[in-house]
Amino acid sequence: EAMRPAIIGFLLVGVTLGALMIASQETGISRDESFYVHAARQQAEYFRAVYEDPKRAFDKETIDKAYRYNREHPALMKNLFALSLIAEEEFDLFPTEIMAHRFPAMVIASLLVALIYLSYRGRIGEMPAIFAALAFITMPRVFYHSQLNCFGIPIAFFIFITSIAYL
């Protein structure tokens, strides 16, 4: 019984991630994604360069070359997109390259669904919290944006965890 919330949270993550990965196969590349795909490729080169020669981690030229493009956006998600791309290239983990680019945002969206449930189950009860989590991810715009290599859902995730930190 004590493990029930964690089990339900993991189930929500798994089901959400699976649904997003399946749906994403039919989703074309959005305009914004094309910019982030290019940025991820450049930042992947930074990680490869640092892997080959760790001294280059703080080299201005290495950093500028990788991060100059699309620098107005936060680096964390772009770094995750780049690392996912490297994982795809090294281990062939995904059915398509675009799935590799989208995977970090899908994981973040899936975690957000579980966090909605876990954050509210003590306040409103277990079933209403499950409903709230599922109602969130099944909103068409949220579900669509959760599949993309973009920042909308990751920003919502970080705003949510910041907000619950203050409750």
Side-chain angles (χ1 to χ4, degrees):
E1 188 65 29
M3 293 296 294
R4 184 179 174 97
I7 292 168
I8 292 172
F10 281 118
L11 284 171
L12 287 168
V13 168
V15 168
T16 303
L17 186 57
L20 291 171
M21 290 181 77
I22 290 167
S24 174
Q25 293 177 15
E26 299 297 320
T27 303
I29 298 174
S30 72
R31 181 179 106 25
D32 284 358
E33 281 185 298
S34 64
F35 293 100
Y36 305 134
V37 164
H38 183 70
R41 287 181 179 148
Q42 287 190 324
Q43 288 169 304
E45 290 306 314
Y46 170 81
F47 289 113
R48 287 186 186 99
V50 170
Y51 179 77
E52 291 170 9
D53 182 7
K55 290 181 234 164
R56 295 177 66 190
F58 298 106
D59 177 60
K60 182 177 177 10
E61 184 179 323
T62 304
I63 293 169
D64 286 347
K65 183 178 177 184
Y67 290 90
R68 181 180 2 223
Y69 179 79
N70 198 242
R71 66 180 171 262
E72 67 275 8
H73 287 91
L76 175 63
M77 288 309 299
K78 291 190 300 184
N79 285 339
L80 293 176
F81 299 149
L83 292 170
S84 184
L85 175 62
I86 290 170
E88 164 59 19
E89 291 172 351
E90 295 294 321
F91 306 110
D92 196 30
L93 299 174
F94 303 98
T96 62
E97 180 184 325
I98 193 63
M99 179 79 71
H101 286 281
R102 291 173 170 172
F103 186 72
M106 290 184 208
V107 170
I108 295 288
S110 301
L111 291 172
L112 179 54
V113 170
L115 281 175
I116 290 169
Y117 160 72
L118 292 169
S119 297
Y120 289 104
R121 79 175 277 285
R123 291 179 173 85
I124 62 175
E126 187 164 83
M127 291 309 290
I130 291 171
F131 176 80
L134 294 176
F136 171 76
I137 195 61
T138 57
M139 287 191 287
R141 188 172 301 263
V142 171
F143 190 76
Y144 170 71
H145 282 273
S146 294
Q147 300 171 48
L148 302 180
N149 170 19
C150 290
F151 293 91
I153 298 301
I155 289 170
F157 171 83
F158 288 109
I159 289 171
F160 186 78
I161 61 172
T162 302
S163 298
I164 62 173
Y166 286 96
L167 292 178

